[in-house]
Amino acid sequence: MKLKEINRTAIQSWSPAQHHPIYLATGTSAQQLDASFSTNASLEFFELDLADPSLDMKSCGSLSSPHRYHKLVWGPYGMDSQGYPSGVLVAGGENGNVILYDSAKIMAGESDVIIAESDRHTGPVRALDVNHFQANLVASGGNESEIYIWDMNNFDAPMTPGPKAQPQEDISCVAWNKQVQHILASASPSGKASVWDLRKNDLIIKVSDHSNRMHCSGLAWNPEVATQLVLASEDDRLPVIQMWDLRFATSPLKVLEHHTRGVLAIAWSLADPELLLSCGKDSRILCWNPNTGEVVYELPTSSQWCFDIQWCPRNPAVLSAAGFDGHIDIYSIMGGSSQAQSQRHADQISHSFGNMDPFGTGQTLPPLQLPQSAAPPATVNPLKKPPKWIRSPVGASFAFGGKLVSLENGKPAQPQQHTPHVVHISQVVTETALLKRSGQLQATLSSGGFVDFCREKIDAAENEFERTVWSFLKVNFESDVRSKYLELLGYNKEEVALKVSACPPALLSAEPDANMEPGYLIYFFLFLFDFLQDVDGLITQALLTGDFEGAVELCLHDNRMADSIILAIAGGAELLEKTQRKYFCKENGKLTKLISAVVMKDWRDILQTCDLQNWREALAAVMTYAQPEEFSPLCDLLGSRLEAAEDPRLQSQACLCYICAGNLEKVVSSWSRAQDGHCPLSLQDLVEKVVVLRRAVELTQRSGPAAIGILLAEKMSQYADLLASQGSLSTAITYLPDNTNQVQLRDRLIRALGQQAAPAQTHRAAAQLPRGPTQPTQPGSALPQPPFSPVQPAMVPHPAAGAPAPGPSSPASAPPQPQYYQPANQYPPGAGGAPVYQPLQYSSAAPPQSPPAEPSSLPHPPGFLSQYTQPVPSQPAAPPLYPGQPPVSQGMSSSHPPFSPTSSSFSAPPSSGAPFQHGGPGSPVSYMPPPLHPPPSGVPGTRLDAENRSVPENYTPPAPITAPILTPLGADTQAQPMSSGAPQAMVQGLHGAQVQYSGMHQTQLPSQAKNPPMPNSSMEGAPGAPTGDAVQPLQSIPAEKITKKPIPDEHLVLKTTFEGLIQKCLTVATDPQTKRKLDDANKRLEALYDKLREQTLSPAIIGGLHNIARTIESRSYAEGLNIHTHIVSNSNFSETSAFMPVLKVVLTQANKLGV
Amino acid sequence: MVSVINTVDTSHEDMIHDAQMDYYGTRLATCSSDRTVKIFDVRNGGQILVADLRGHEGPVWQVAWAHPMFGNILASCSYDRKVIIWKEENGAWDKMYEYTGHESSVNSVCWGPYEFGLILACGSSDGAISLLTFTGDQQWDVKKISNAHTIGCNAVSWAPAVLPGSLIDQPSGQKPNYVKRFVSGGCDNLVKLWKEEDGQWKEDQKLEAHSDWVRDVGWAPSIGLPTSTIASCSQDGRVFIWTCDDPAGNTWTAKLLHKFNDVVWHVSWSITGNILAVSGGDNKVTLWKESMDGQWACISDVSKGQGAVSTITDTQQNEQ
């Protein structure tokens, strides 16, 4: 196919292979004249721009020359050194001159374009060739057997290859050997060819067939075989190309006969040694396979002779042919249609007549229809044999599952020999670490060794946050959850005991309140001295340890009537009664207000308004006291507030709230926001946590059938995709959630695993209907079983423990069974309007009775991790359930869905009591049932000073992770040494739409059990307690203030001094925490002022306070602190506990701030 | 780690030019200068010859599997100027369609994303690209882009099916209006992007960076990002990664992945689009991965199907 044409009668040379873009240099040919008879000569450059579809070649520079040319060769000399960026064009002239042109300069239009010139040759220089290996060497041939070797580095002194051949004759061709750099061949019209060895500086062989008819017009070395060359004969009587092998130089190896008249030029393709071009006086351009002698291609040419033909060194499919018809044509040897070009040709002519409307007829002329002289734009057949350059010898392509397919062709095809043609299929694994961890996770899931898994994670954790999360996750799978939590929070039983024993006896005796057990008191004093924070701290500690009575006492001392009542409610009837008595003694007539305040207090408000810095306390409070059905929403609420916080540290804590809420979806969103989703290992991190957490949630059964939210599904799909890309197909499929959008991936995995699954159609159809997250899927879906079967034994369904009949249970019936506390009040389902607390229903933990079977068990959606969620067999031990709760069907088989939606029915019948007769909401006292599932551990989120000191500044202690990790009865085998045959609760919610808080699956305690006999046990059972600002709304119910008396004038100075000091501190304090502390203190000191109003303080204390005030005035805060210590150690605890710690805080701050 | 899990002796009598696994990775199709196409079942490390397809009269350059939703369909292209589409019916492979519309060697075939239906792009040494669309009833509609690449198109590769503009604004219930696009590379050293508009194929972009024939192009699978990525390799030894973040698809930037010392014949993206396999004239296959900072690094040298994988990207990530 013709690509381009240049209207010149000229000889040509392509730019060197190294050169880009491709140029063609043309020089006016010496022995032809065109019709103008002009003897002007020029050197021109054209660019081969294949992106331009036109036939024109863009001229890139020209040079008017005094010489006409016989031969042009363009070598790369100087291109690498940038001396001649476009190489050197060597021209052989009419008059024996050899001229070196700087191609770049000609194209740049500069004038001093001649690098060097010599006219040493006699006669025209018809032969030139640049050495293949040394671009600085040019061979030239002239008349009289003259051959010179020019070194462009030293152009003035050409060498000769040896003595001149005799008889002297013209040299028509020279050619350097393509394999051996010091071998040169020359040929003359006489038909003789000579081969020179430049190292020997002599002629080494002559090649001649003795026919005397060879008239050498062309000479070319075989590009691959060093000993082979071809000679072309111009003689019409012998229009052949002879192929010689110097190893057998007596006669030609092969004779290529197809031309009918003499051959004018030949060119051997360097890109494919099986392609040799020749053009002849028969006007044909043929392409031969010189090895076979076959003509593999014939170019469609005009009827004119072609006298010069050249392969383009850079573009192997391109060749140029110069004809006597005044054209240089550029062809592609790859065939193709010339139709487009013909049409363009017509257009060009049409255009040359002027566009559009030359005659003013108002009509556009039709395109000129050229009489088609030639055959119709015939399709040109391509080469009969595919050229080497399109035969791709290599290849590698990826396939599904991280497979790489690569070819191996052995050696280049030698048809005679059988070379193996093989294809390798390889597995590419780039995420080795991920696969290793995935394997560990798989092993854990199948073995159930979550504790060890978590432990390893803890050991390997890179930061405190990770460590904490894993610590909490680990606790889920252990027994004795509460004490573990306490330890995590820094409460070590042994240490506490040590402190207790080390406590000064004076403190013991300091406790006047007979209602409190001395042990507790010591304990609180310990905290007092350990943390010396304020009364809030003390109350917190009391609550932490489940000592409601102590907490109530503290509140009463602190004049926090509301708090004390609230706490008493939690502490049970006895305590409530006692507290009420005390309260009534203290406060008269405020009861109604307080009640309404307490009753109406909504945790939602607290969570919405609390200072986010105290999110831990807030969370702890919710955890301990929130209604089961509102627990999750409340945690979510707090989580979303944290997530919206500006402080990134707070944001990162949001996920802990979501963990508590059991809201996997939010957890994922929170985690994935914090992590780089593109890094495979962070995805692994996420998946590990989610899977473990999910397992934990399932164990607690508090969220029913675990739904796969959109985001989680997406992450899981990503993970599956990632595993698949690493070849871990069988694992990948287990992670694909049911509601994935990756239907194709599922289908692909199934088929790739070679499983005969249900027709893909089924999958597609199924996937088009997005499943509601809670919509159970039939287990019989087309999903194949995961390739490895879970190691866990199938679940043995536990019949729900027969719950005792509703009604107060007698404490006596409780014992040997572990007891659980009911953490929150349950609103009766039907209660509309204002919520009314239901009285607490105590039910004794009855020994397992055969419970009614629950017939309907929800099928579990297969797919996502289904094999992991198979319930493990738990000991028959089943703790007591709620009264009236339908137990799970006894006959549940292992095929049953692991996500057993559990609904605890909080069917506490209303007790006929006053509203205050509450069942202890979050009554913190619960005995740790020895090995059984712990109650929802309200892990206190209270930040303790000691803890703060021990952690890095930027470390935020995690919120207690409690609810979701509650272990449901009988579900956790690992931790279940106990057995009592109680059934697992797998019941639909009894209360219709009411969301069942399955995590709070506990029996309530007999009231008498509320006072823990031992401090330690009280600690174990302590749920989180609200402290600090989180409970401010409650504290701010200022019942007392209504009846305030004035402070006696003589003591007013105390108030002004303390308040003044706080104000001074506030103006200086910079960090919010200190400010908050000070603000707090300001409020707390109200307790002192109240006591002053009441004039209930002993003179000693009053005196001491005045002394402190004086030290404040003189800014001797250290002295003030000494006095403070003196007062504390010499006064009645109950008298001073409400304000002295606060005062100490203020003094300490003042001292620190130096106000 | 790159480890051989199966070595298939194809028994081809001449050079193999292409080997492609089907969608599931369970079957292997090979083609050779011996003019045949072979299909092997390679599940579980085996190699069962399923079919030996004869019909081409010249070396077969490439094979391409259609998406399985259309059945088991394989396209092959040859130096004989033909494209043959083979289909398995009842366990037997037969010609489904033979396309003879090219005037020179057909060098590349590539099926479009299944969302576009059964559509095949073919690049030929005659410079044209043909688009064959199955219209049902054994009918194929043919569109041809003439002179797409002067003196030859060497490779075609489809863009993943993405909706124009944002992915969000697609009104539900409407039939997605995909814009069909593909990339081609040719002997004019150009990489060209093509787009179908109103049923006509138009040149959308012309990407210039290579200084010699573009041997292969690969449009990376979509990984959910708005970025489009194309790899191109050339006779000049260079591999470029072209990216376009602009939703209109107008601004493409080239990044040089590497300059090899020899011709680079092929590029192939992993299914997840994050690894590029580059096959060069030195019979070496190298695997490349983009590090977190956007630099491409060689993670493996694969020889005879085996090689180690360096964790260079991991370390780079850790350093950041």
Side-chain angles (χ1 to χ4, degrees):
Chain A
M1 182 180 92
K2 184 147 105 179
L3 302 171
K4 302 283 176 190
E5 65 181 20
I6 304 169
N7 292 314
R8 299 284 186 283
T9 303
I11 53 163
Q12 5 117 47
S13 176
W14 291 99
S15 53
Q18 299 89 328
H19 199 269
H20 173 79
I22 296 171
Y23 293 105
L24 184 70
T26 65
T28 306
S29 177
Q31 282 198 312
Q32 293 100 32
L33 287 179
D34 60 19
S36 69
F37 290 91
S38 161
T39 54
N40 292 338
S42 64
L43 208 52
E44 288 175 281
F45 289 81
F46 298 90
E47 183 184 345
L48 177 70
D49 181 6
L50 293 173
D52 169 15
S54 83
L55 279 174
D56 301 324
M57 276 184 80
K58 192 171 68 177
S59 174
C60 296
S62 67
L63 172 72
S64 172
S65 157
H67 317 283
R68 298 206 293 169
Y69 303 100
H70 280 279
K71 183 75 179 172
L72 288 179
V73 289
W74 192 341
Y77 176 71
M79 274 182 71
D80 44 0
S81 66
Q82 294 298 308
Y84 305 107
S86 291
V88 174
L89 182 68
V90 187
E94 289 175 291
N95 305 314
N97 30 18
V98 173
I99 312 156
L100 308 185
Y101 292 102
D102 183 335
S103 312
K105 280 189 176 172
I106 296 175
M107 286 188 279
E110 294 177 29
S111 52
D112 53 337
V113 296
I114 295 177
I115 300 166
E117 185 173 4
S118 167
D119 55 359
R120 187 174 289 245
H121 273 294
T122 51
V125 178
R126 293 193 179 86
L128 286 173
D129 195 25
V130 175
N131 189 291
H132 246 63
F133 302 89
Q134 288 182 262
N136 57 315
L137 295 181
V138 182
S140 65
N143 288 349
E144 298 173 11
S145 299
E146 278 178 359
I147 299 174
Y148 291 120
I149 311 294
W150 308 85
D151 182 351
M152 293 192 221
N153 295 322
N154 181 17
F155 192 72
D156 296 334
M159 303 162 282
T160 58
K164 275 189 183 179
Q166 296 295 336
Q168 292 191 354
E169 48 189 350
D170 296 347
I171 302 293
S172 54
C173 320
V174 289
W176 293 99
N177 191 287
K178 302 290 188 285
Q179 300 286 321
V180 186
Q181 56 176 324
H182 51 87
I183 301 294
L184 177 77
S186 64
S188 56
S190 71
K192 291 192 181 63
S194 308
V195 178
W196 309 82
D197 185 338
L198 269 68
R199 284 199 307 208
K200 294 180 179 155
N201 200 26
D202 205 352
L203 175 74
I204 53 172
I205 198 168
K206 279 192 174 185
V207 179
S208 167
D209 72 343
H210 312 293
S211 72
N212 292 324
R213 285 185 181 169
M214 279 292 284
H215 188 134
C216 280
S217 56
L219 161 67
W221 288 97
N222 186 322
E224 280 186 342
V225 184
T227 54
Q228 292 186 351
L229 55 81
V230 291
L231 297 170
S233 169
E234 199 178 351
D235 194 320
D236 288 347
R237 294 167 299 170
L238 191 65
V240 299
I241 299 166
Q242 293 178 335
M243 183 162 175
W244 292 83
D245 193 314
L246 303 183
R247 292 169 292 190
F248 185 73
T250 51
S251 65
L253 189 69
K254 201 163 279 167
V255 179
L256 311 182
E257 297 174 281
H258 208 77
H259 281 289
T260 52
R261 295 188 62 194
V263 180
L264 293 172
I266 53 171
W268 204 329
S269 169
L270 295 180
D272 185 348
E274 295 188 329
L275 297 178
L276 174 71
L277 284 170
S278 65
C279 53
K281 290 185 276 187
D282 55 3
S283 304
R284 299 171 78 184
I285 300 176
L286 301 179
C287 185
W288 309 78
N289 180 345
N291 294 321
T292 62
E294 183 189 14
V295 174
V296 293
Y297 190 61
E298 177 165 357
L299 271 93
T301 53
S302 62
S303 55
Q304 284 293 323
W305 295 2
C306 185
F307 62 88
D308 187 16
I309 192 161
Q310 305 275 342
W311 287 105
C312 172
R314 186 174 182 86
N315 192 328
V318 170
L319 60 102
S320 62
F324 287 121
D325 60 354
H327 287 298
I328 293 174
D329 292 327
I330 315 293
Y331 296 96
S332 157
I333 201 154
M334 292 305 292
S337 166
S338 52
Q339 192 162 20
Q341 277 86 356
S342 305
Q343 187 51 47
R344 269 197 300 276
H345 211 78
D347 288 344
Q348 273 179 344
I349 295 168
S350 187
H351 278 277
S352 65
F353 281 106
N355 262 346
M356 298 306 168
D357 188 15
F359 307 119
T361 61
Q363 284 179 326
T364 304
L365 286 179
L368 183 67
Q369 294 297 321
L370 280 189
Q372 293 289 344
S373 54
T379 294
V380 180
N381 289 342
L383 283 171
K384 278 184 190 158
K385 73 168 232 18
K388 186 183 177 186
W389 60 79
I390 70 167
R391 296 199 300 261
S392 163
V394 295
S397 59
F398 272 107
F400 180 63
K403 293 196 179 67
L404 183 72
V405 180
S406 52
L407 314 176
E408 189 188 338
N409 272 316
K411 289 177 182 164
Q414 293 280 339
Q416 292 83 3
Q417 297 169 336
H418 175 74
T419 47
H421 300 287
V422 299
V423 174
H424 299 291
I425 301 171
S426 314
Q427 181 68 55
V428 177
V429 173
T430 53
E431 304 294 341
T432 330
L434 176 117
L435 280 195
K436 194 172 159 218
R437 285 176 56 182
S438 159
Q440 285 164 354
L441 182 59
Q442 292 305 108
T444 303
L445 286 167
S446 55
S447 72
F450 288 96
V451 174
D452 289 339
F453 184 73
C454 294
R455 190 175 296 130
E456 280 165 27
K457 288 290 163 195
I458 294 165
D459 293 343
E462 282 174 6
N463 55 49
E464 280 295 321
F465 184 77
E466 288 281 297
R467 193 169 299 135
T468 314
V469 168
W470 281 112
S471 300
F472 277 96
L473 287 172
K474 169 170 154 259
V475 167
N476 275 311
F477 301 99
E478 294 174 316
S479 58
D480 206 11
V481 174
R482 290 202 188 187
S483 64
K484 292 267 166 44
Y485 278 142
L486 286 171
E487 274 173 32
L488 282 175
L489 289 167
Y491 296 82
N492 183 295
K493 273 187 265 183
E494 285 79 20
E495 280 176 23
V496 169
L498 272 177
K499 284 179 190 167
V500 169
S501 64
C503 196
L507 286 173
L508 291 168
S509 60
E511 173 52 76
D513 192 334
N515 287 332
M516 288 178 82
E517 301 223 16
Y520 280 112
L521 196 69
I522 291 162
Y523 183 65
F524 294 134
F525 269 90
L526 262 179
F527 277 114
L528 179 65
F529 284 99
D530 269 351
F531 309 121
L532 270 187
Q533 172 87 328
D534 50 26
V535 175
D536 275 6
L538 286 177
I539 294 173
T540 303
Q541 300 308 330
L543 292 177
L544 283 177
T545 53
D547 178 22
F548 270 56
E549 200 164 334
V552 165
E553 200 58 39
L554 284 164
C555 287
L556 285 173
H557 281 309
D558 204 19
N559 264 343
R560 299 191 198 178
M561 292 304 160
D563 290 358
S564 62
I565 297 291
I566 295 282
L567 288 171
I569 290 168
E574 203 178 305
L575 178 61
L576 180 61
E577 201 184 338
K578 202 159 66 184
T579 311
Q580 278 172 339
R581 257 198 327 268
K582 287 187 187 174
Y583 176 76
F584 292 144
C585 294
K586 287 192 121 170
E587 306 286 337
N588 297 315
K590 314 298 176 308
L591 185 59
T592 358
K593 279 181 189 173
L594 187 56
I595 289 167
S596 85
V598 169
V599 170
M600 298 306 291
K601 253 321 150 196
D602 188 349
W603 286 106
R604 186 165 293 273
D605 281 346
I606 290 167
L607 289 176
Q608 264 163 354
T609 52
C610 72
D611 185 341
L612 278 180
Q613 296 295 337
N614 291 333
W615 65 274
R616 273 175 235 92
E617 290 80 0
L619 185 60
V622 168
M623 213 167 280
T624 315
Y625 296 111
Q627 313 296 325
E629 74 276 8
E630 60 177 23
F631 179 83
S632 283
L634 287 174
C635 290
D636 276 348
L637 173 69
L638 186 59
S640 51
R641 277 196 68 202
L642 282 171
E643 218 166 10
E646 283 173 18
D647 185 346
R649 270 186 292 159
L650 288 178
Q651 284 173 16
S652 69
Q653 307 298 340
C655 69
L656 294 174
C657 294
Y658 293 136
I659 292 174
C660 298
N663 191 336
L664 273 174
E665 184 73 359
K666 288 276 201 175
V667 167
V668 173
S669 88
S670 172
W671 259 329
S672 57
R673 192 167 315 155
Q675 292 181 340
D676 174 17
H678 292 295
C679 171
L681 283 180
S682 68
L683 187 57
Q684 174 75 27
D685 277 343
L686 177 71
V687 168
E688 281 170 0
K689 283 181 208 146
V690 167
V691 166
V692 170
L693 174 62
R694 199 182 154 81
R695 179 59 181 273
V697 170
E698 283 160 15
L699 287 176
T700 68
Q701 303 202 350
R702 60 176 281 279
S703 58
I708 309 281
I710 294 168
L711 190 66
L712 179 56
E714 188 192 313
K715 287 286 168 193
M716 285 300 175
S717 300
Q718 267 181 26
Y719 186 61
D721 209 16
L722 184 60
L723 287 175
S725 77
Q726 302 296 310
S728 194
L729 304 185
S730 52
T731 308
I733 200 167
T734 65
Y735 283 93
L736 259 191
D738 231 27
N739 54 343
T740 179
N741 49 358
Q742 296 265 32
V743 193
Q744 299 216 355
L745 180 57
R746 177 187 301 284
D747 168 58
R748 218 168 175 176
L749 285 167
I750 291 167
R751 301 286 291 264
L753 287 165
Q755 294 170 0
Q756 287 306 313
Q761 212 55 34
T762 311
H763 292 295
R764 248 172 239 127
Q768 275 154 11
L769 304 170
R771 290 192 178 114
T774 53
Q775 181 181 354
T777 315
Q778 286 308 315
S781 94
L783 257 190
Q785 277 305 313
F788 53 92
S789 32
V791 175
Q792 298 103 319
M795 173 191 183
V796 176
H798 318 288
S809 63
S810 87
S813 72
Q817 286 299 324
Q819 291 166 355
Y820 295 83
Y821 77 91
Q822 162 79 353
N825 276 340
Q826 179 69 40
Y827 286 108
V836 176
Y837 281 109
Q838 284 293 336
L840 178 61
Q841 179 65 47
Y842 296 119
S843 57
S844 73
Q849 302 161 2
S850 57
E854 164 62 44
S856 75
S857 59
L858 283 184
H860 174 255
F864 174 68
L865 290 180
S866 55
Q867 79 274 33
Y868 310 126
T869 59
Q870 308 254 342
V872 288
S874 67
Q875 277 73 10
L881 291 182
Y882 288 118
Q885 178 163 18
V888 91
S889 117
Q890 184 96 31
M892 230 166 90
S893 76
S894 61
S895 68
H896 274 231
F899 303 119
S900 27
T902 311
S903 73
S904 49
S905 66
F906 297 92
S907 58
S911 93
S912 64
F916 268 116
Q917 189 90 25
H918 295 315
S923 61
V925 192
S926 81
Y927 296 105
M928 200 55 205
L932 259 192
H933 302 285
S937 47
V939 175
T942 318
R943 198 179 52 229
L944 301 175
D945 276 355
E947 187 179 341
N948 274 349
R949 279 193 300 271
S950 69
V951 296
E953 192 59 25
N954 59 354
Y955 167 56
T956 326
I961 305 168
T962 54
I965 46 184
L966 295 176
T967 330
L969 307 181
D972 184 359
T973 39
Q974 282 100 19
Q976 296 313 317
M978 267 282 290
S979 77
S980 69
Q984 177 61 283
M986 299 185 104
V987 208
Q988 271 295 42
L990 287 184
H991 302 295
Q994 181 179 359
V995 177
Q996 293 302 333
Y997 179 23
S998 57
M1000 299 290 187
H1001 218 240
Q1002 284 89 19
T1003 12
Q1004 284 130 12
L1005 288 175
S1007 60
Q1008 102 191 113
K1010 270 176 304 197
N1011 275 331
M1014 297 295 297
N1016 276 354
S1017 64
S1018 89
M1019 281 178 60
E1020 284 178 33
T1027 63
D1029 292 353
V1031 289
Q1032 288 259 317
L1034 280 183
Q1035 294 170 345
S1036 67
I1037 304 165
E1040 309 84 12
K1041 282 183 182 160
I1042 298 162
T1043 56
K1044 264 177 192 159
K1045 296 177 197 164
I1047 298 174
D1049 285 347
E1050 67 269 27
H1051 301 320
L1052 207 52
V1053 64
L1054 294 177
K1055 183 170 195 264
T1056 51
T1057 306
F1058 294 151
E1059 281 182 349
L1061 181 61
I1062 290 172
Q1063 286 312 315
K1064 268 158 79 182
C1065 289
L1066 275 173
T1067 52
V1068 178
T1070 48
D1071 67 306
Q1073 190 141 355
T1074 310
K1075 280 179 186 280
R1076 200 161 43 79
K1077 232 187 239 177
L1078 289 164
D1079 276 333
D1080 208 38
N1082 210 7
K1083 289 176 206 147
R1084 301 287 161 74
L1085 279 179
E1086 201 63 38
L1088 168 63
Y1089 309 142
D1090 286 347
K1091 284 197 191 305
L1092 290 173
R1093 289 183 184 106
E1094 307 287 340
Q1095 302 194 333
T1096 53
L1097 291 174
S1098 70
I1101 293 175
I1102 295 276
L1105 288 172
H1106 278 282
N1107 285 340
I1108 291 179
R1110 273 189 290 278
T1111 62
I1112 289 173
E1113 237 128 55
S1114 58
R1115 302 177 61 226
S1116 332
Y1117 305 117
E1119 198 190 330
L1121 282 168
N1122 286 337
I1123 297 168
H1124 180 276
T1125 310
H1126 184 76
I1127 298 172
V1128 169
S1129 54
N1130 289 296
S1131 63
N1132 186 316
F1133 168 73
S1134 62
E1135 198 176 2
T1136 59
S1137 62
F1139 56 87
M1140 284 310 276
V1142 184
L1143 204 49
K1144 176 161 183 175
V1145 168
V1146 175
L1147 285 169
T1148 311
Q1149 284 301 330
N1151 195 27
K1152 203 162 97 186
L1153 296 167
V1155 293
Chain B
M1 196 62 199
V2 183
S3 41
V4 175
I5 53 179
N6 195 351
T7 293
V8 179
D9 184 352
T10 61
S11 299
H12 276 301
E13 290 159 13
D14 204 341
M15 198 186 273
I16 313 173
H17 297 296
D18 195 17
Q20 296 287 335
M21 293 258 245
D22 71 351
Y23 182 80
Y24 299 110
T26 56
R27 282 194 283 192
L28 176 75
T30 61
C31 61
S32 159
S33 272
D34 71 3
R35 306 181 170 194
T36 64
V37 172
K38 294 186 181 189
I39 298 172
F40 297 88
D41 184 334
V42 293
R43 271 180 294 188
N44 305 318
Q47 50 171 88
I48 302 158
L49 182 64
V50 174
D52 186 346
L53 306 178
R54 293 168 188 268
H56 282 294
E57 299 158 67
V60 189
W61 300 134
Q62 275 192 6
V63 284
W65 291 93
H67 193 279
M69 72 185 287
F70 303 107
N72 290 323
I73 294 176
L74 184 76
S76 60
C77 62
S78 161
Y79 187 72
D80 68 3
R81 295 175 274 166
K82 288 194 287 199
V83 174
I84 300 180
I85 295 169
W86 312 84
K87 183 165 189 183
E88 185 191 39
E89 299 272 16
N90 304 319
W93 285 87
D94 223 331
K95 272 186 203 173
M96 181 187 186
Y97 180 61
E98 184 171 300
Y99 174 65
T100 53
H102 282 290
E103 288 144 9
S104 185
S105 172
V106 185
N107 302 317
S108 181
V109 281
C110 183
W111 290 103
Y114 72 92
E115 291 93 335
F116 302 167
L118 203 50
I119 181 168
L120 183 74
C122 323
S124 165
S125 284
D126 66 7
I129 296 171
S130 295
L131 292 132
L132 316 180
T133 309
F134 185 64
T135 55
D137 269 352
Q138 315 294 317
Q139 296 299 307
W140 290 79
D141 173 61
V142 177
K143 288 204 172 75
K144 197 162 171 182
I145 306 170
S146 294
N147 208 39
H149 292 277
T150 308
I151 74 168
C153 172
N154 293 325
V156 284
S157 174
W158 286 87
V162 288
L163 297 168
S166 104
L167 294 165
I168 307 153
D169 295 341
Q170 188 66 19
S172 55
Q174 285 188 12
K175 199 181 165 191
N177 188 22
Y178 293 109
V179 171
K180 298 185 185 121
R181 291 199 291 170
F182 68 88
V183 60
S184 63
C187 300
D188 52 6
N189 309 348
L190 292 175
V191 171
K192 287 185 175 181
L193 307 188
W194 307 86
K195 185 156 95 181
E196 192 188 45
E197 275 174 11
D198 308 321
Q200 296 301 310
W201 284 94
K202 304 227 165 88
E203 183 179 311
D204 189 35
Q205 292 285 315
K206 190 186 285 184
L207 308 181
E208 296 180 69
H210 288 293
S211 61
D212 210 330
W213 289 11
V214 178
R215 286 293 188 176
D216 199 5
V217 286
W219 202 312
S222 169
I223 48 168
L225 299 177
T227 311
S228 296
T229 305
I230 291 171
S232 65
C233 64
S234 162
Q235 186 75 22
D236 66 11
R238 281 184 280 215
V239 176
F240 281 102
I241 305 292
W242 305 84
T243 51
C244 172
D245 301 325
D246 131 47
N250 293 327
T251 322
W252 289 84
T253 49
K255 179 178 272 181
L256 180 65
L257 177 114
H258 190 65
K259 165 100 168 65
F260 294 85
N261 292 324
D262 206 337
V263 49
V264 182
W265 286 94
H266 293 292
V267 286
S268 171
W269 290 101
S270 65
I271 304 297
T272 45
N274 59 342
I275 302 175
L276 184 72
V278 175
S279 357
D282 50 3
N283 224 354
K284 272 280 178 59
V285 175
T286 47
L287 304 184
W288 298 77
K289 199 175 170 193
E290 190 178 16
S291 68
M292 296 301 279
D293 56 353
Q295 297 303 311
W296 287 88
C298 181
I299 56 165
S300 186
D301 266 308
V302 184
S303 176
K304 294 184 188 297
Q306 313 215 61
V309 169
S310 74
T311 53
I312 179 162
T313 48
D314 292 342
T315 34
Q316 281 173 0
Q317 280 166 15
N318 290 341
E319 282 162 10
Q320 281 171 6

